[in-house]
Amino acid sequence: MEVVEFTPEREQYAWTFGGVPPIRKVTPGTLMRLWTEDAFSGRLQSSSDRPSEKLDMREVNPQTGPFYVEGAEPGDTLALHIVGLEPARDWAASATIPFFGGLTSTDRTVTLQEALPELTWIYQLDRERQTVRFEALRGELQLDLPVAPMLGTVGVAPGGREVRTSLVPDMFGGNMDTPEMRAGSTCYLGVNVEGAMFSVGDGHYRQGEGESCGTAVEGAMNVTLIVELIKGHAPVWPRIEHDDHYIVVASSRPLEDAWRASQAGMIAWLGELYGLDRLDAYQLLTQISESPLANVVDANYSAVTKVAKRLLPIGDAYDGMHRHLRGHAATL
């Protein structure tokens, strides 16, 4: 197995999906060891730091990539298996940012409400105990929370010569912010342009469903993944498979449209897996689906539809690609 190690210099970050030349080419079957910067570009380091003073909003959510996958063509499916996610620093940051988040006025939901105050929380990582420490800024409470590393952003270049900011989730993936994007998961993305042009970033040391205030425990991440290519069979919306669930993530506004798209995406996948008629799949899904929120704060909201494999016959999604990649990962 070919191994590629890549740590970007600051000038090599990608800030969009689409419109960026590839940082390098890789072949299917490659193991990649990557470093990703946090969503704040490392600029929030102290509880005294204020986002309006420290952040350049043109340089948030830096991506490592894009990578050109040899042989990838529009209509193919890119499979990215996340082997491991390891915090790259001993601290991470979260913040409230003016007119951003799920429980404040925003530039899209405009009221006369004043902006929430700018506050920054720094979480210290205990590597031995695998916890991060929450410390209240306006009280005495301290809690050690289990580390649950995930990638907020995984995506490919969109089609139609579109260029989309790395803050946006859509059919190409992007800033979906789902905790399902964790070690042991395989993400399937439809290829829109030659080479797929995928990027990853926005590491979270942990995040609750929905990412309520708009920022998770944001931290730099060491990412290990395997790249594979499936000819044809491109899904409309990003799919994720791990040992326990099949998952579809869809992104839109209003939130119910994101939910509808993720449900329809799962109906299509159940049809592929088990030969189900669309209405039979709809009926089955109604009885077994789970619908956690991924994010309710980005330019598009992201909704998840997941079904437990234990409730279904043994499937063979993409000819067993997830099982195949899990086997490779187990030998590393």
Side-chain angles (χ1 to χ4, degrees):
M1 179 182 292
E2 182 182 0
V3 178
V4 168
E5 299 191 12
F6 181 72
T7 299
E9 301 293 335
R10 182 166 289 272
E11 65 273 11
Q12 292 177 309
Y13 296 145
W15 308 99
T16 63
F17 288 92
V20 183
I23 202 72
R24 67 180 301 163
K25 292 186 176 183
V26 297
T27 57
T30 297
L31 175 73
M32 304 188 74
R33 295 192 176 104
L34 309 173
W35 186 90
T36 65
E37 180 57 280
D38 70 45
F40 304 125
S41 295
R43 291 184 171 125
L44 295 185
Q45 301 183 12
S46 165
S47 60
S48 63
D49 289 341
R50 297 292 174 260
S52 63
E53 298 169 356
K54 295 291 185 176
L55 299 185
D56 180 342
M57 296 309 293
R58 301 168 302 173
E59 296 187 353
V60 292
N61 234 20
Q63 300 300 297
T64 298
F67 298 98
Y68 182 107
V69 180
E70 298 277 9
E73 300 173 306
D76 292 343
T77 302
L78 182 70
L80 300 175
H81 180 74
I82 303 175
V83 177
L85 298 173
E86 179 69 27
R89 293 191 180 115
D90 290 333
W91 57 270
S94 192
T96 49
I97 297 172
F99 300 114
F100 177 66
L103 295 176
T104 181
S105 299
T106 73
D107 61 349
R108 294 166 184 261
T109 304
V110 181
T111 72
L112 297 181
Q113 178 187 82
E114 295 293 328
L116 291 177
E118 292 185 272
L119 297 174
T120 298
W121 290 261
I122 299 299
Y123 289 75
Q124 298 298 329
L125 172 67
D126 186 324
R127 290 187 184 274
E128 183 175 349
R129 298 178 60 213
Q130 286 295 287
T131 59
V132 287
R133 173 157 290 193
F134 166 80
E135 299 183 12
L137 296 179
R138 297 178 171 180
E140 301 301 319
L141 182 65
Q142 297 187 4
L143 293 174
D144 289 329
L145 303 173
V147 171
M150 53 165 282
L151 289 176
T153 309
V154 176
V156 295
R161 299 187 181 180
E162 275 195 273
V163 177
R164 305 292 293 278
T165 170
S166 58
L167 294 172
V168 172
D170 212 312
M171 292 178 176
F172 59 88
N175 194 30
M176 296 176 283
D177 287 318
T178 173
E180 303 291 351
M181 203 71 74
R182 54 178 171 78
S185 292
T186 302
C187 178
Y188 304 108
L189 296 165
V191 175
N192 303 300
V193 302
E194 183 181 309
M197 304 294 282
F198 80 89
S199 301
V200 300
D202 189 25
H204 299 171
Y205 293 0
R206 70 169 293 116
Q207 178 209 298
E209 303 285 0
E211 198 182 22
S212 304
C213 84
T215 60
V217 182
E218 310 279 350
M221 196 77 75
N222 292 311
V223 180
T224 304
L225 57 82
I226 301 173
V227 181
E228 263 299 354
L229 182 65
I230 301 160
K231 297 303 290 182
H233 308 290
V236 175
W237 290 100
R239 295 174 175 178
I240 301 171
E241 181 182 2
H242 54 62
D243 290 351
D244 300 321
H245 289 86
Y246 297 114
I247 298 155
V248 174
V249 186
S251 304
S252 186
R253 285 205 185 199
L255 182 58
E256 58 262 35
D257 280 354
W259 173 83
R260 290 182 181 113
S262 70
Q263 293 270 304
M266 184 59 75
I267 287 169
W269 203 0
L270 290 173
E272 294 170 25
L273 287 167
Y274 303 111
L276 282 173
D277 172 83
R278 184 173 62 170
L279 292 182
D280 283 329
Y282 185 24
Q283 172 59 212
L284 177 61
L285 183 66
T286 302
Q287 314 312 333
I288 66 173
S289 66
E290 303 168 52
S291 298
L293 300 175
N295 93 82
V296 294
V297 296
D298 293 337
N300 283 329
Y301 299 148
S302 297
V304 169
T305 293
K306 57 191 289 189
V307 295
K309 290 181 175 180
R310 62 181 172 79
L311 301 176
L312 297 166
I314 295 174
D316 203 24
Y318 296 104
D319 294 323
M321 178 60 74
H322 171 72
R323 186 172 60 251
H324 167 72
L325 294 174
R326 284 284 276 157
H328 272 311
T331 66
L332 298 175

